[in-house]
């Protein structure tokens, strides 16, 4: 398709809309895919991006509201049978004169019951011998002279009833010794090292 271009106004838009449906039926689908690569050929890629400019456009991926169950958004990498499968890389924008962009993960809210949960885990490896489950790393980056590395905060929200707990536990070892839990304060090359402080909760009630 050619470019929709004007000299002083916004460029033309491209809308892809499937067909409507009768009452009780499903509207048409919109599918964007490349064909399978046969033999030793590789299937083509799909690029979705906005152009550069004084302010680049945003990309929105969303499902519509529903009176019953709304649609899901699934981000999945195909299986690699002869080599390592592809990765999912999520990176926020880099800033040159301002702070870099943020990555926010927020579960769904509810007006009548509990809000949704967020689960981060690696798959179990119980059927393959000598195969480890993947690790999970939570860390902030290093900094240069005069900078401070970012903090990591684990906390639960306040509650009118009972606040949520934080649990740190290590799985059971079968044929080897149990794994240790280490809590270390930071070292310092110029001043006193950090301390580890563990305090129980206080209460304003006398009963």
């Amino acid at each position: 398709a050619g470019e929709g271009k004007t000299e002083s106004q916004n460029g033309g838009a491209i809308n892809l809309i499937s067909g409507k449906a009768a009452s009780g039926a499903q509207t048409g689908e919109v599918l964007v895919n490349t064909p399978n690569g046969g033999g030793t050929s590789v299937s083509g890629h799909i690029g979705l991006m906005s152009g550069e400019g004084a302010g680049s456009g945003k990309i929105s991926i969303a499902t519509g509201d529903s009176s019953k169950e709304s649609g899901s958004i699934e981000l999945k990498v195909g299986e690699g049978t002869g080599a390592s499968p592809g990765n999912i890389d999520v990176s926020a924008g880099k800033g040159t004169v301002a702070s870099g962009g943020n990555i926010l993960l927020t579960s769904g809210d509810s007006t009548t019951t509990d809000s949704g949960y967020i689960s981060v885990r690696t798959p179990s490896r119980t059927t393959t011998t000598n195969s480890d489950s993947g690790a999970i790393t939570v860390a902030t980056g290093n900094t240069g002279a005069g900078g401070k590395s970012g903090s990591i905060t684990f906390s639960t929200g306040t509650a009118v009833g009972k606040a949520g707990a934080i649990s740190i536990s290590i799985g059971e070892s079968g044929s080897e010794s149990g794994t240790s839990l280490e809590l270390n304060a930071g070292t310092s090359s110029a001043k006193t090292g950090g301390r580890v402080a563990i305090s129980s909760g206080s209460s304003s009630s006398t009963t």
Side-chain angles (χ1 to χ4, degrees):
E3 296 181 351
K5 186 166 99 174
T6 59
E7 294 298 328
S8 60
Q9 297 179 347
N10 295 333
I14 297 177
N15 294 329
L16 295 178
I17 301 176
S18 64
K20 293 183 178 180
S23 178
Q26 178 177 307
T27 60
E29 297 178 336
V30 176
L31 301 177
V32 179
N33 64 279
T34 59
N36 297 331
T40 58
S41 61
V42 180
S43 63
H45 78 278
I46 295 176
L48 181 63
M49 64 182 296
S50 61
E52 299 178 354
S56 62
K58 68 177 181 179
I59 296 177
S60 297
I61 301 177
T63 61
D65 296 336
S66 173
S67 60
K68 296 181 180 179
E69 182 178 356
S70 59
S72 300
I73 295 177
E74 183 176 283
L75 187 61
K76 183 179 180 181
V77 175
E79 180 179 351
T81 57
S84 298
N87 301 319
I88 295 179
D89 186 358
V90 180
S91 301
K94 179 181 179 180
T96 56
V97 296
S99 300
N102 302 317
I103 296 178
L104 305 176
L105 295 177
T106 305
S107 64
D109 198 0
S110 174
T111 57
T112 58
T113 183
D114 301 338
S115 61
Y117 67 90
I118 297 177
S119 176
V120 179
R121 60 177 301 172
T122 59
S124 301
R125 303 295 297 151
T126 57
T127 59
T128 305
T129 305
N130 296 327
S131 179
D132 300 335
S133 64
I136 295 177
T137 301
V138 179
T140 61
N142 300 327
T143 62
K148 296 180 180 180
S149 62
S151 301
I152 296 177
T153 302
F154 294 97
S155 64
T156 62
T158 57
V160 177
K162 186 174 183 179
I166 295 177
S167 177
I168 301 176
S169 61
I170 296 176
E172 181 180 351
S173 298
S175 60
E176 299 186 12
S177 300
T179 304
S180 301
L181 177 64
E182 298 183 2
L183 186 62
N184 299 318
T187 61
S188 175
S189 58
K191 295 185 178 181
T192 304
R195 63 191 182 98
V196 176
I198 299 177
S199 303
S200 61
S202 61
S203 174
S204 58
S205 175
T206 57
T207 58

